[in-house]
Structures are given as structure tokens and as C-alpha cells.
Amino acid sequence: MNGLSDIRLTLHTHELEEAQQQPICITTSMAGSRWTRFWLRLHTRKALLDLDARALRDVGLTREQALDEALKPFWRL
């Protein structure tokens, strides 16, 4: 590698670290209207039903918790 490539790799690593430190919040970026929040809540809850045991474990939920959340009406928090 030449010196320019080394610098770019260093910068890229630094950019990745900064991006990982910034919180990601879907609801604040899509919080345009109440209906948008309802739609997002409805679809994310229904997506829980499609997750397998490994994916549920990754997000820290049991199958029972996912079912409880997925079966809530979209207007309830």
C-alpha cells in the first residue's frame, strides 16, 4: 500500500467509529405525523412475528414477549 491508502483506511475507521456512536432512532426521523408513527408501530410489531428464535435472541426477546408485543393494537404504546 502507498501512503495515501493508509490514510484513507485510517479515516474510514474513524468515520465508522463515529457513526457507531450516534444513536439511531427511527421514530424521530419518521415522526412527521401520528399516522406515520402508527404505521411504523404496526409494521414493526408484525415483523416480530416473522423472526426466528435466533433473531429474537439477538434483540433480547422471548417468543412470548414478541407475541405479546405483536398482538397489541397499533395505537397502544
Side-chain angles (χ1 to χ4, degrees):
M1 275 190 204
N2 60 25
L4 187 59
S5 298
D6 295 339
I7 291 172
R8 183 63 203 145
L9 288 174
T10 303
L11 288 175
H12 185 64
T13 303
H14 181 67
E15 291 166 356
L16 288 174
E17 288 171 355
E18 284 179 359
Q20 289 176 350
Q21 293 173 356
Q22 296 175 354
I24 298 172
C25 185
I26 296 172
T27 55
T28 56
S29 65
M30 294 183 65
S33 71
R34 180 178 296 175
W35 295 113
T36 303
R37 290 190 306 270
F38 284 170
W39 181 89
L40 179 64
R41 196 176 298 143
L42 173 71
H43 289 284
T44 53
R45 285 179 176 168
K46 297 305 176 194
L48 286 173
L49 296 174
D50 295 332
L51 296 179
D52 61 0
R54 183 176 180 211
L56 287 171
R57 196 170 42 249
D58 284 346
V59 295
L61 293 175
T62 64
R63 174 62 61 192
E64 292 78 25
Q65 290 171 323
L67 286 173
D68 288 342
E69 186 67 27
L71 297 176
K72 281 184 189 177
F74 66 89
W75 59 87
R76 289 217 179 120
L77 292 178

